[in-house]
Amino acid sequence: MDKLLIRGGRPLVGRVAISGAKNAALPQMCAALLTREPVHLVNVPRLHDVRTMRRLLEHMGVATETHGERGGMSFTAPDGLTPEAPYELVKTMRASVLALGPLLARFGRARVSLPGGCAIGARPVDQHIRGLQAMGAQIHVEHGYIVASLPPGRQRLQGAHITTDMVTVTGTENLLMAACLAEGETVLENAAQEPEVADLAEMLIRMGARIQGHGSSTIRVQGVAQLHGCTHQVVADRIEAGTFLCAVAATGGNALLEHARADHLQAVIDKLRDAGVQVGAEGEGGAGGLRVISPGGAQLKAQSFRTMEYPGFPTDMQAQFMALNLVAQGAATVTETIFENRFMHVNELMRLGAEIMVDGRVATLVGGAPLSGATVMATDLRASASLVIAGLVASGETLVDRIYHLDRGYDTMEAKLRGLGADIERISA
């Protein structure tokens, strides 16, 4: 099992290219199931979850191909594929449920394993199921699988007015894809507003879908009989960008994050600026990326924040900003409102010398205590990133174990950090 060895104390300086967003690429790969024509994606990140999704699509019968130097991938889903996502292929990846809507919409049936993924709390798929049932699907769960079909004599899903009980990104994406081939109009209320959802909608529009309101809480879809192929560039990963913003800030560095977009990270950028970090967009319209300049921990002020659905402070940035807070001055509280079990990184940060107390969904920390290297264990994807950031500023050596979590969401993170001057290496078991 691979580990990361970090020797802390070096500021991050230079430039780094932010990869395409995993949380945009995975639903877009599933969207290829909606048409028999080839779908071409550009800027697909090189991640374990992407490889898993590719294997899943190939298992169904989708022809896939890698091409070009910019993360190019092509997908062609024939009419005769097998609409099933088996447990063996998707047990570690909750995004597998995103195959459900496209398979049901195009083929009229689907058998999809209940998803796995990081153990950070309950993420039920009941909103997906209820939405598809409102569109006329017959669905039941048996032996760990969601089994869905159209009623006898029905050729297409039916448009419906759907209001989810909670904001769900994958639920919005699943229902959005299914609605594209449904008969009539579908209205999605309480829809997720994340940039990845809007990027999926833009891709679907390129495929011939009729969608309005994406990026807002109400999305309207006029169903069409069929979709065609397209070429689409995956949006830059705002969470990878936010992670590097925090890493550069914590180490007192100066770096340009190419492709990063300020409009996708405003809540994080506001907190960074309040902490004393300079963050600004470069180039016309911000096309040049984000420049981050930090005076270092001794001159930074710890910031309290509360995670919220987009456009609020993202739960996927909670652990990384907590690591930054540890090197800043003063006390701060971090309130996690999205997932009930997302403070598992706290005990590992405390092994490095952090002063943190957790009470339910609130963590109270005191920044400024010196961090010293130790062996720590990653417990989920974003927790892994927080341990790396802490290791970059800790004295001595930090060894981060179980980094397979990190590889699920970051494209060659250690290589990018080395390019910015970090002393970091991967150690293979």
Side-chain angles (χ1 to χ4, degrees), residues 334-354:
V334 176
T335 305
E336 174 58 57
T337 71
I338 308 299
F339 296 126
E340 70 275 13
N341 192 26
R342 206 165 199 180
F343 283 138
M344 291 188 291
H345 50 284
V346 166
N347 287 337
E348 300 304 304
L349 289 171
M350 291 174 67
R351 287 180 52 78
L352 299 174

Side-chain angles (χ1 to χ4, degrees), residues 303-306 318-319 322 325-326 331-337 342-347 349-350 355-366:
Q303 297 297 305
S304 297
F305 62 91
R306 172 187 296 266
Q318 178 251 105
M322 183 183 289
N325 269 341
L326 295 178
T333 59
V334 176
T335 305
E336 174 58 57
T337 71
R342 206 165 199 180
F343 283 138
M344 291 188 291
H345 50 284
V346 166
N347 287 337
L349 289 171
M350 291 174 67
E355 297 183 19
I356 311 173
M357 182 178 67
V358 176
D359 182 10
R361 293 194 177 212
V362 179
T364 303
L365 59 89
V366 178

Side-chain angles (χ1 to χ4, degrees), residues 19-37:
S19 301
K22 177 192 80 161
N23 289 341
L26 294 177
Q28 288 165 4
M29 292 170 72
C30 288
L33 294 166
L34 290 166
T35 178
R36 66 172 63 89
E37 297 182 11

Side-chain angles (χ1 to χ4, degrees), residues 9 19 27 38-39 49 60 74 83 138 148 197-198 216 239 250 255 266 270 272 320-321 324 329 371 374 427-428:
S19 301
V39 169
D49 278 8
M60 295 179 187
S74 295
Q138 297 177 334
V197 175
S216 76
I239 303 302
Q266 201 56 57
D270 287 345
L272 285 168
Q320 301 93 305
F321 207 100
L324 169 61
Q329 302 300 306
L371 302 181
I427 300 175
S428 298

Side-chain angles (χ1 to χ4, degrees), residues 248-427:
V248 175
T251 62
N254 180 338
L256 175 65
L257 312 187
E258 298 173 347
H259 313 307
R261 291 179 52 170
D263 58 332
H264 290 175
L265 281 165
Q266 201 56 57
V268 175
I269 291 173
D270 287 345
K271 286 295 179 182
L272 285 168
R273 288 172 175 163
D274 290 344
V277 181
Q278 297 180 46
V279 182
E282 295 211 346
E284 184 176 351
L290 286 175
R291 169 71 63 178
V292 53
I293 303 173
S294 172
Q299 300 180 59
L300 298 177
K301 181 180 179 181
Q303 297 297 305
S304 297
F305 62 91
R306 172 187 296 266
T307 62
M308 298 176 66
E309 288 89 359
Y310 189 86
F313 195 100
T315 181
D316 278 354
M317 282 300 304
Q318 178 251 105
Q320 301 93 305
F321 207 100
M322 183 183 289
L324 169 61
N325 269 341
L326 295 178
V327 304
Q329 302 300 306
T333 59
V334 176
T335 305
E336 174 58 57
T337 71
I338 308 299
F339 296 126
E340 70 275 13
N341 192 26
R342 206 165 199 180
F343 283 138
M344 291 188 291
H345 50 284
V346 166
N347 287 337
E348 300 304 304
L349 289 171
M350 291 174 67
R351 287 180 52 78
L352 299 174
E355 297 183 19
I356 311 173
M357 182 178 67
V358 176
D359 182 10
R361 293 194 177 212
V362 179
T364 303
L365 59 89
V366 178
L371 302 181
S372 58
T375 298
V376 291
M377 182 176 65
T379 53
D380 63 67
L381 171 55
R382 307 308 173 185
S384 307
S386 75
L387 298 177
V388 170
I389 293 172
L392 291 171
V393 296
S395 62
E397 294 185 347
T398 298
L399 188 66
V400 184
D401 200 356
R402 296 177 65 180
I403 62 167
Y404 60 84
H405 288 294
L406 196 74
D407 293 338
R408 288 185 50 241
Y410 292 94
D411 186 342
T412 59
M413 176 183 253
E414 73 275 12
K416 291 183 177 182
L417 288 171
R418 275 198 305 273
L420 293 172
D423 188 345
I424 181 172
E425 61 180 305
R426 180 180 291 254
I427 300 175

